[in-house]
Each structure stands twice: as structure tokens, then as C-alpha cells.
Short mmCIF file of all heavy atoms in Angstrom, two decimals:
data_model
loop_
_atom_site.label_atom_id
_atom_site.label_comp_id
_atom_site.label_asym_id
_atom_site.label_seq_id
_atom_site.Cartn_x
_atom_site.Cartn_y
_atom_site.Cartn_z
N GLY A 1 65.12 102.53 47.10
CA GLY A 1 64.00 103.49 47.12
C GLY A 1 62.76 102.73 47.52
O GLY A 1 62.80 101.85 48.36
N ASP A 2 61.67 103.04 46.90
CA ASP A 2 60.43 102.33 47.20
C ASP A 2 60.55 100.90 46.69
O ASP A 2 61.01 100.65 45.59
CB ASP A 2 59.24 103.02 46.53
CG ASP A 2 58.97 104.38 47.15
OD1 ASP A 2 59.30 104.55 48.33
OD2 ASP A 2 58.44 105.26 46.45
N SER A 3 60.10 99.97 47.49
CA SER A 3 60.18 98.56 47.13
C SER A 3 59.28 98.25 45.94
O SER A 3 58.13 98.65 45.91
CB SER A 3 59.75 97.70 48.33
OG SER A 3 59.68 96.36 47.97
N PRO A 4 59.80 97.52 44.94
CA PRO A 4 58.97 97.15 43.79
C PRO A 4 57.94 96.08 44.15
O PRO A 4 57.09 95.74 43.35
CB PRO A 4 59.99 96.62 42.78
CG PRO A 4 61.12 96.13 43.60
CD PRO A 4 61.17 97.05 44.80
N PHE A 5 58.02 95.57 45.38
CA PHE A 5 57.11 94.52 45.82
C PHE A 5 55.91 95.09 46.57
O PHE A 5 55.23 94.39 47.30
CB PHE A 5 57.85 93.50 46.68
CG PHE A 5 59.03 92.90 45.97
CD1 PHE A 5 60.32 93.20 46.37
CD2 PHE A 5 58.85 92.06 44.89
CE1 PHE A 5 61.41 92.66 45.71
CE2 PHE A 5 59.94 91.52 44.22
CZ PHE A 5 61.21 91.83 44.63
N GLY A 6 55.64 96.37 46.42
CA GLY A 6 54.52 96.99 47.12
C GLY A 6 54.92 97.43 48.50
O GLY A 6 56.09 97.59 48.81
N ASP A 7 53.94 97.65 49.33
CA ASP A 7 54.23 98.07 50.70
C ASP A 7 54.95 96.94 51.44
O ASP A 7 54.47 95.82 51.49
CB ASP A 7 52.93 98.43 51.42
CG ASP A 7 52.30 99.69 50.87
OD1 ASP A 7 53.05 100.56 50.38
OD2 ASP A 7 51.07 99.81 50.92
N ARG A 8 56.06 97.28 52.01
CA ARG A 8 56.87 96.31 52.76
C ARG A 8 56.85 96.71 54.22
O ARG A 8 57.06 97.86 54.55
CB ARG A 8 58.30 96.34 52.21
CG ARG A 8 59.20 95.37 52.90
CD ARG A 8 60.60 95.38 52.25
NE ARG A 8 61.45 94.53 53.05
CZ ARG A 8 62.09 94.94 54.14
NH1 ARG A 8 62.02 96.19 54.54
NH2 ARG A 8 62.82 94.10 54.84
N ASP A 9 56.61 95.75 55.09
CA ASP A 9 56.62 95.99 56.53
C ASP A 9 57.88 95.37 57.10
O ASP A 9 58.00 94.14 57.16
CB ASP A 9 55.37 95.37 57.17
CG ASP A 9 55.32 95.56 58.67
OD1 ASP A 9 56.19 96.26 59.24
OD2 ASP A 9 54.39 95.01 59.29
N TRP A 10 58.83 96.21 57.51
CA TRP A 10 60.09 95.67 58.02
C TRP A 10 59.91 94.90 59.33
O TRP A 10 60.79 94.15 59.73
CB TRP A 10 61.15 96.77 58.17
CG TRP A 10 60.89 97.78 59.25
CD1 TRP A 10 60.27 98.98 59.11
CD2 TRP A 10 61.23 97.67 60.62
NE1 TRP A 10 60.21 99.62 60.32
CE2 TRP A 10 60.80 98.83 61.27
CE3 TRP A 10 61.87 96.69 61.38
CZ2 TRP A 10 60.98 99.05 62.63
CZ3 TRP A 10 62.05 96.90 62.75
CH2 TRP A 10 61.61 98.07 63.35
N ARG A 11 58.78 95.05 59.98
CA ARG A 11 58.50 94.31 61.22
C ARG A 11 57.84 92.96 60.96
O ARG A 11 57.56 92.24 61.91
CB ARG A 11 57.61 95.15 62.13
CG ARG A 11 58.29 96.35 62.75
CD ARG A 11 57.30 97.12 63.62
NE ARG A 11 57.90 98.20 64.33
CZ ARG A 11 57.83 99.47 63.97
NH1 ARG A 11 57.18 99.82 62.87
NH2 ARG A 11 58.40 100.41 64.70
N SER A 12 57.59 92.62 59.73
CA SER A 12 56.96 91.34 59.42
C SER A 12 57.83 90.19 59.93
O SER A 12 59.04 90.16 59.67
CB SER A 12 56.76 91.19 57.91
OG SER A 12 56.35 89.88 57.60
N VAL A 13 57.23 89.24 60.61
CA VAL A 13 57.99 88.13 61.17
C VAL A 13 58.11 86.95 60.20
O VAL A 13 58.54 85.87 60.59
CB VAL A 13 57.38 87.65 62.51
CG1 VAL A 13 57.47 88.73 63.56
CG2 VAL A 13 55.96 87.18 62.32
N ASN A 14 57.75 87.15 58.93
CA ASN A 14 57.84 86.08 57.94
C ASN A 14 59.26 85.88 57.42
O ASN A 14 59.65 84.77 57.07
CB ASN A 14 56.90 86.36 56.76
CG ASN A 14 55.46 86.36 57.21
OD1 ASN A 14 55.07 85.59 58.08
ND2 ASN A 14 54.67 87.24 56.63
N SER A 15 60.04 86.95 57.34
CA SER A 15 61.43 86.89 56.89
C SER A 15 62.14 88.14 57.39
O SER A 15 61.49 89.13 57.74
CB SER A 15 61.51 86.78 55.37
OG SER A 15 60.91 87.91 54.77
N TRP A 16 63.48 88.09 57.41
CA TRP A 16 64.23 89.16 58.06
C TRP A 16 65.44 89.62 57.26
O TRP A 16 66.07 88.84 56.55
CB TRP A 16 64.73 88.71 59.43
CG TRP A 16 63.64 88.54 60.41
CD1 TRP A 16 63.15 87.34 60.88
CD2 TRP A 16 62.86 89.56 61.01
NE1 TRP A 16 62.12 87.59 61.75
CE2 TRP A 16 61.92 88.95 61.85
CE3 TRP A 16 62.86 90.95 60.93
CZ2 TRP A 16 61.00 89.66 62.60
CZ3 TRP A 16 61.95 91.67 61.67
CH2 TRP A 16 61.04 91.01 62.50
N PHE A 17 65.79 90.89 57.46
CA PHE A 17 67.08 91.47 57.09
C PHE A 17 67.78 91.73 58.42
O PHE A 17 67.13 92.06 59.42
CB PHE A 17 66.89 92.76 56.29
CG PHE A 17 68.17 93.33 55.79
CD1 PHE A 17 68.83 92.74 54.73
CD2 PHE A 17 68.74 94.44 56.41
CE1 PHE A 17 70.05 93.25 54.27
CE2 PHE A 17 69.95 94.95 55.96
CZ PHE A 17 70.59 94.36 54.90
N CYS A 18 69.10 91.61 58.48
CA CYS A 18 69.83 91.60 59.75
C CYS A 18 69.53 92.77 60.68
O CYS A 18 69.23 92.57 61.86
CB CYS A 18 71.33 91.50 59.49
SG CYS A 18 72.05 92.91 58.62
N SER A 19 69.61 93.99 60.20
CA SER A 19 69.42 95.15 61.08
C SER A 19 67.97 95.28 61.52
O SER A 19 67.68 95.71 62.64
CB SER A 19 69.91 96.43 60.41
OG SER A 19 69.46 96.52 59.08
N GLU A 20 67.05 94.87 60.65
CA GLU A 20 65.62 94.92 61.01
C GLU A 20 65.32 93.88 62.09
O GLU A 20 64.55 94.15 63.03
CB GLU A 20 64.77 94.68 59.76
CG GLU A 20 64.95 95.78 58.76
CD GLU A 20 64.33 95.53 57.40
OE1 GLU A 20 63.99 94.37 57.08
OE2 GLU A 20 64.17 96.51 56.66
N PHE A 21 65.95 92.72 61.99
CA PHE A 21 65.79 91.67 63.00
C PHE A 21 66.26 92.18 64.37
O PHE A 21 65.57 92.02 65.37
CB PHE A 21 66.60 90.43 62.57
CG PHE A 21 66.76 89.40 63.63
CD1 PHE A 21 65.71 88.53 63.93
CD2 PHE A 21 67.95 89.27 64.33
CE1 PHE A 21 65.86 87.56 64.91
CE2 PHE A 21 68.11 88.31 65.30
CZ PHE A 21 67.06 87.44 65.60
N VAL A 22 67.42 92.82 64.41
CA VAL A 22 67.97 93.31 65.68
C VAL A 22 67.06 94.38 66.28
O VAL A 22 66.72 94.32 67.47
CB VAL A 22 69.41 93.84 65.49
CG1 VAL A 22 69.89 94.60 66.72
CG2 VAL A 22 70.35 92.69 65.15
N ILE A 23 66.63 95.35 65.48
CA ILE A 23 65.77 96.42 66.01
C ILE A 23 64.42 95.85 66.44
O ILE A 23 63.87 96.25 67.47
CB ILE A 23 65.62 97.56 64.98
CG1 ILE A 23 66.97 98.25 64.76
CG2 ILE A 23 64.56 98.57 65.42
CD1 ILE A 23 67.60 98.88 66.00
N TYR A 24 63.88 94.90 65.69
CA TYR A 24 62.62 94.26 66.08
C TYR A 24 62.77 93.59 67.46
O TYR A 24 61.91 93.75 68.33
CB TYR A 24 62.21 93.22 65.03
CG TYR A 24 61.03 92.38 65.45
CD1 TYR A 24 59.73 92.84 65.25
CD2 TYR A 24 61.20 91.14 66.05
CE1 TYR A 24 58.64 92.08 65.63
CE2 TYR A 24 60.12 90.37 66.43
CZ TYR A 24 58.84 90.84 66.23
OH TYR A 24 57.77 90.08 66.62
N CYS A 25 63.83 92.83 67.66
CA CYS A 25 64.05 92.15 68.94
C CYS A 25 64.15 93.17 70.08
O CYS A 25 63.55 92.98 71.15
CB CYS A 25 65.30 91.28 68.89
SG CYS A 25 65.18 89.84 67.83
N LEU A 26 64.89 94.25 69.85
CA LEU A 26 65.02 95.30 70.87
C LEU A 26 63.67 95.97 71.15
O LEU A 26 63.31 96.20 72.31
CB LEU A 26 66.03 96.35 70.42
CG LEU A 26 67.49 95.90 70.39
CD1 LEU A 26 68.34 96.88 69.59
CD2 LEU A 26 68.03 95.73 71.79
N GLU A 27 62.94 96.27 70.10
CA GLU A 27 61.65 96.93 70.24
C GLU A 27 60.65 96.04 70.99
O GLU A 27 59.97 96.50 71.91
CB GLU A 27 61.11 97.29 68.85
CG GLU A 27 59.82 98.08 68.87
CD GLU A 27 59.35 98.43 67.47
OE1 GLU A 27 59.37 97.56 66.58
OE2 GLU A 27 58.97 99.60 67.28
N GLN A 28 60.58 94.77 70.62
CA GLN A 28 59.64 93.85 71.27
C GLN A 28 59.98 93.61 72.74
O GLN A 28 59.10 93.37 73.55
CB GLN A 28 59.60 92.51 70.51
CG GLN A 28 59.00 92.62 69.12
CD GLN A 28 57.58 93.11 69.15
OE1 GLN A 28 56.72 92.53 69.80
NE2 GLN A 28 57.32 94.21 68.45
N ALA A 29 61.26 93.69 73.07
CA ALA A 29 61.72 93.48 74.46
C ALA A 29 61.60 94.75 75.30
O ALA A 29 61.97 94.76 76.46
CB ALA A 29 63.17 93.00 74.46
N LYS A 30 61.08 95.82 74.70
CA LYS A 30 60.89 97.12 75.39
C LYS A 30 62.22 97.75 75.79
O LYS A 30 62.33 98.41 76.82
CB LYS A 30 59.99 96.96 76.62
CG LYS A 30 58.66 96.28 76.35
CD LYS A 30 57.71 97.19 75.66
CE LYS A 30 56.32 96.59 75.60
NZ LYS A 30 55.81 96.33 74.29
N PHE A 31 63.25 97.53 74.97
CA PHE A 31 64.54 98.17 75.21
C PHE A 31 64.42 99.68 75.06
O PHE A 31 64.95 100.43 75.88
CB PHE A 31 65.60 97.63 74.22
CG PHE A 31 66.89 98.37 74.27
CD1 PHE A 31 67.82 98.11 75.27
CD2 PHE A 31 67.19 99.35 73.34
CE1 PHE A 31 69.02 98.81 75.33
CE2 PHE A 31 68.39 100.06 73.39
CZ PHE A 31 69.30 99.78 74.39
N PHE A 32 63.76 100.11 74.00
CA PHE A 32 63.60 101.54 73.76
C PHE A 32 62.55 102.12 74.70
O PHE A 32 61.48 101.53 74.86
CB PHE A 32 63.19 101.81 72.30
CG PHE A 32 64.21 101.35 71.30
CD1 PHE A 32 64.01 100.19 70.58
CD2 PHE A 32 65.38 102.07 71.10
CE1 PHE A 32 64.95 99.76 69.66
CE2 PHE A 32 66.33 101.64 70.19
CZ PHE A 32 66.12 100.48 69.47
N PRO A 33 62.82 103.26 75.32
CA PRO A 33 61.86 103.85 76.26
C PRO A 33 60.73 104.61 75.57
O PRO A 33 59.97 105.31 76.22
CB PRO A 33 62.73 104.79 77.10
CG PRO A 33 63.84 105.18 76.20
CD PRO A 33 64.09 104.00 75.30
#
């Protein structure tokens, strides 16, 4: 549910979860139109 650590930004480049890392790489590379 809501993260107990406050607002979490899944795009933060400080640390990663696997699926967020993949979508971030695709998004930054302009894969999505």
C-alpha cells in the first residue's frame, strides 16, 4: 500500500527495484511514444 517511508519516487536513481529499473531505462531511452 502506501510506503511507510513517506513519498517514494520509483524513478529515483539512488536505488532500484527490478521492474522499475527496466521501465526507467525504457522511458529515458524514449522507447514509449
Side-chain angles (χ1 to χ4, degrees):
D2 293 332
S3 174
F5 304 110
D7 291 330
R8 181 176 174 275
D9 179 5
W10 69 266
R11 289 179 175 101
S12 171
V13 296
N14 296 324
S15 60
W16 291 107
F17 185 75
C18 64
S19 46
E20 295 170 344
F21 168 78
V22 169
I23 295 300
Y24 172 85
C25 292
L26 290 165
E27 184 179 46
Q28 293 300 303
K30 307 284 190 243
F31 172 80
F32 298 104

